[in-house]
Amino acid sequence: MGEFVTVSVDEDGVATIRLDRAPVNALNRQVWAELGEAAVRCGSDDDVRAVVIWGGPKVFAAGADIKEMAETSFTEMYAHGAGLQESLRELERLPQVVIAAITGYALGGGCEIALAADFRFAADDAKLGQPEILLGIIPGAGGTQRLARLVGIQKAKHLVYSGDSVTAGEAAEMGLVDTVTTADDVYEEAMAAARRYARGPYALRMAKRALDEGAELDLDAALRLESTLFAASFATEDARTGMRSFIEEGPGRARFSQR
Ligand code: DAK
């Protein structure tokens, strides 16, 4: 259990990765490292069936700790920066469905953490953006890459070049967030969605791999990957359960074992 990042797992197998560094969850090196450890822990725990990442009721994360960054030299960043970026790869590569529940600010590295999730649920008070340019630097944890892949390069250019943040409503319009709800409800809505995925079949992991890894490949290779994973899904107990249940009880009634 980290000092600033904790993991708790509820009885439905939904893990909450909680960022907790008052007042704005500024991401110092320790937070990045603990986030990576939290992701590894969720990925290696068979009881974790879905993940919600949450910064608390007021703020998701206002980005990297600027006071720490101000003291960081080129050589230190060169030596450690890639390692810190790895924490988000751990999060992004989790086999389980991951939902970011965003209240308040998700700026810079905060926005980049949310971008590593499968879905972003935002509170209506949320503000998202990549303000790095205003500090004289560029996004360094996927903000020039995942953001452009998600919303398109033009919208990403606008956000990255200007440093402007967008409201939850604007973020929804550009596809940066998936749902908008009240700040009081956003965590529970993310948990409810995560519980639904937690009840899903083992094949959800295969679907996630096919979509995420396939997106990085040319179409032929991506279709081969899909084909392999499709065949592999027939090896799961859940595939037997799902098809038998349809034949005997009709659609949508299967109770999966995640095996
Ligand atoms: N770092 C450190 N302290 C911060 C902070 C931050 N990012 N953001 C806010 N704070 C502190 C403020 O200094 C203030 O501290 P006190 O004065 O109370 O001691 C306290 O939090 C409350 O902030 P404000 O008084 O400013 O509160 P407001 O509500 O007026 O404004 C705000 C909230 C979030 C809009 C504003 O504070 C703000 O603009 N914050 C900075 C946003 C920002 O530029 N974030 C950093 C972007 S750069 C890397 C990967 C990624 C990154 C770096 C490396 N590697 C893989 C190596 C990421 C870089 C970034 O995120």
Side-chain angles (χ1 to χ4, degrees):
M1 213 48 109
E3 182 183 356
F4 300 128
V5 182
T6 56
V7 181
S8 55
V9 184
D10 74 5
E11 63 278 8
D12 298 311
V14 178
T16 297
I17 298 179
R18 170 75 150 90
L19 307 173
D20 192 7
R21 183 169 183 245
V24 292
N25 293 331
L27 307 159
N28 65 6
R29 279 189 202 180
Q30 188 179 336
V31 178
W32 283 118
E34 289 183 11
L35 179 62
E37 288 160 18
V40 168
R41 191 192 142 194
C42 289
S44 58
D45 185 341
D46 288 340
D47 293 333
V48 172
R49 292 171 173 182
V51 177
V52 170
I53 177 155
W54 159 243
K58 293 242 156 17
V59 64
F60 187 72
D65 186 331
I66 299 172
K67 290 157 199 162
E68 184 185 76
M69 275 202 304
E71 305 297 320
T72 305
S73 67
F74 162 71
T75 48
E76 282 171 323
M77 195 52 92
Y78 191 74
H80 302 293
L84 298 174
Q85 208 187 42
E86 225 10 72
S87 292
L88 284 193
R89 284 301 263 169
E90 295 289 355
L91 186 68
E92 181 175 46
R93 288 195 191 120
L94 278 178
Q96 302 95 338
V97 175
V98 180
I99 302 175
I102 304 166
T103 51
Y105 295 107
L107 300 177
C111 189
E112 291 172 315
I113 292 172
L115 284 167
D118 291 288
F119 299 107
R120 284 149 291 282
F121 284 22
D124 51 16
D125 69 348
K127 288 232 161 57
L128 297 94
Q130 300 289 159
E132 287 87 346
I133 210 75
L134 306 176
L135 301 170
I137 58 175
I138 71 166
T144 65
Q145 301 307 310
R146 292 190 187 95
L147 181 63
R149 283 163 168 75
L150 185 65
V151 303
I153 196 159
Q154 283 313 114
K155 293 189 180 93
K157 281 184 171 180
H158 172 72
L159 287 173
V160 171
Y161 292 178
S162 69
D164 288 349
S165 54
V166 291
T167 63
E170 291 165 337
E173 225 163 84
M174 65 169 71
L176 177 51
V177 303
D178 300 285
T179 69
V180 181
T181 181
T182 65
D184 285 345
D185 292 338
V186 67
Y187 176 67
E188 273 316 318
E189 290 219 358
M191 289 296 288
R195 279 190 198 104
R196 180 178 175 190
Y197 294 120
R199 290 191 298 273
Y202 193 84
L204 260 182
R205 294 173 176 231
M206 294 165 172
K208 178 168 174 169
R209 265 190 76 183
L211 283 155
D212 283 347
E213 289 181 26
E216 306 303 318
L217 301 171
D218 65 73
L219 187 60
D220 268 341
L223 288 171
R224 278 197 300 277
L225 173 67
E226 182 189 73
S227 207
T228 304
L229 289 166
F230 174 67
S233 69
F234 280 72
T236 63
E237 195 178 294
D238 284 341
R240 303 293 136 216
T241 306
M243 289 186 248
R244 194 183 322 111
S245 165
F246 176 87
I247 291 163
E248 290 170 6
E249 308 166 280
R253 297 186 167 271
R255 298 173 84 86
F256 295 114
S257 64
Q258 283 81 34
R259 280 194 295 273

